[in-house]
Amino acid sequence: MTIADYNHCVDLHADGVFRFVMKHIRDKDASRDIVQDSFEKMWRKLNTIDGSKSKTYLFTTAYHTLIDHTRRESKKTTLSENEHDQAVPGAHYSDLKEILNRGLELLPDIQKSVLLLRDYEGYDYAKIGKITDLSESQVKVYIFRARTFLKNYIGKMETVI
């Protein structure tokens, strides 16, 4: 990979990686740090990365950096910080995006990751498996479970609207 390829990769994929990380942790500053760390790791291995696989390498690096960050942060939280309302949305609530975001927060990290990579970033099952170190069938199962959970969490559309 050349420096020009690296700069092109930064221009093309910085926003997508930021969105992916931001959907997970909901902290702009931490998300920016994770994206920056991912690009720094990519820069350090510039000579060993194939330019055609730069996007996959970048998302894989961001995913692993995100997991490390999440593990570090989970050790810092206290019981009072973890208590939050997990109630099902009310009968007359109309902000579907907020309901979906709340539902995403309730998913296990691996399900959230594969679902975001598939539905938000548009990766195919094989690339998601490569990024997350899962088999293609495991990816499909996690996506199915995540979508089923979200469907049950939202409930009938009549109660949302």
Side-chain angles (χ1 to χ4, degrees), residues 88-89 96-107 111-112 115-116 119-120 142-157 160:
V88 177
L96 184 58
K97 183 178 180 182
E98 187 175 326
I99 294 169
L100 278 172
N101 287 336
R102 246 189 285 152
L104 279 172
E105 292 301 318
L106 298 175
L107 287 172
Q111 288 181 13
K112 186 189 321 183
L115 186 70
L116 290 173
D119 293 342
Y120 282 81
Y142 283 134
I143 289 173
F144 174 79
R145 288 179 182 166
R147 287 177 178 163
T148 302
F149 172 81
L150 289 174
K151 184 173 109 178
N152 292 334
Y153 179 76
I154 293 172
K156 296 179 182 176
M157 285 304 289
V160 176

Side-chain angles (χ1 to χ4, degrees), residues 80-90 102-103 105-106 153:
S80 63
E81 292 173 347
N82 278 335
E83 295 173 3
H84 60 287
D85 185 24
Q86 295 182 0
V88 177
R102 246 189 285 152
E105 292 301 318
L106 298 175
Y153 179 76

